[in-house]
Amino acid sequence: MIVKKLHEAGIKSEHAYLAAVGSIGLSLFSWVASNKQENLERADRWGIFVGEWAPTFFALGLALANYERNDLATEATRYGGDA
């Protein structure tokens, strides 16, 4: 249901994968930047928090990719083509 709503909103699997890679990059940047701050613990926690988004985005990307593949197969079957 959530995947269908995301698909209908125009979000594709590539968008979720890009968000996951962006999350990893932002986490790495936050970790590198935290070495220069006074409150090291807080900055490190922020990097870990952002890094924890990546698996969720990758999972959404896989779910959307499966939905897109099934949607394409359904359309091909409906119109007499091969998937």
Side-chain angles (χ1 to χ4, degrees), residues 43-73:
D44 283 344
R45 278 184 255 137
W46 172 250
I48 291 169
F49 173 70
V50 172
E52 288 177 351
W53 298 345
T56 303
F57 287 133
F58 277 123
L60 280 173
L62 286 172
L64 284 165
N66 286 336
Y67 186 86
E68 292 162 4
R69 186 179 65 235
N70 291 340
D71 193 40
L72 186 62

Side-chain angles (χ1 to χ4, degrees), residues 3-78:
V3 175
K4 182 179 178 183
K5 292 286 185 190
L6 289 172
H7 181 73
E8 289 172 355
I11 298 174
K12 300 189 183 294
S13 59
E14 292 86 15
H15 298 138
Y17 294 140
L18 286 172
V21 171
S23 171
I24 293 169
L26 186 60
S27 177
L28 182 63
F29 174 76
S30 176
W31 177 74
V32 169
S34 72
N35 290 333
K36 300 174 184 173
Q37 293 187 4
E38 288 179 18
N39 193 351
L40 185 61
E41 294 82 19
R42 183 174 182 206
D44 283 344
R45 278 184 255 137
W46 172 250
I48 291 169
F49 173 70
V50 172
E52 288 177 351
W53 298 345
T56 303
F57 287 133
F58 277 123
L60 280 173
L62 286 172
L64 284 165
N66 286 336
Y67 186 86
E68 292 162 4
R69 186 179 65 235
N70 291 340
D71 193 40
L72 186 62
T74 302
E75 274 189 36
T77 303
R78 183 180 302 151

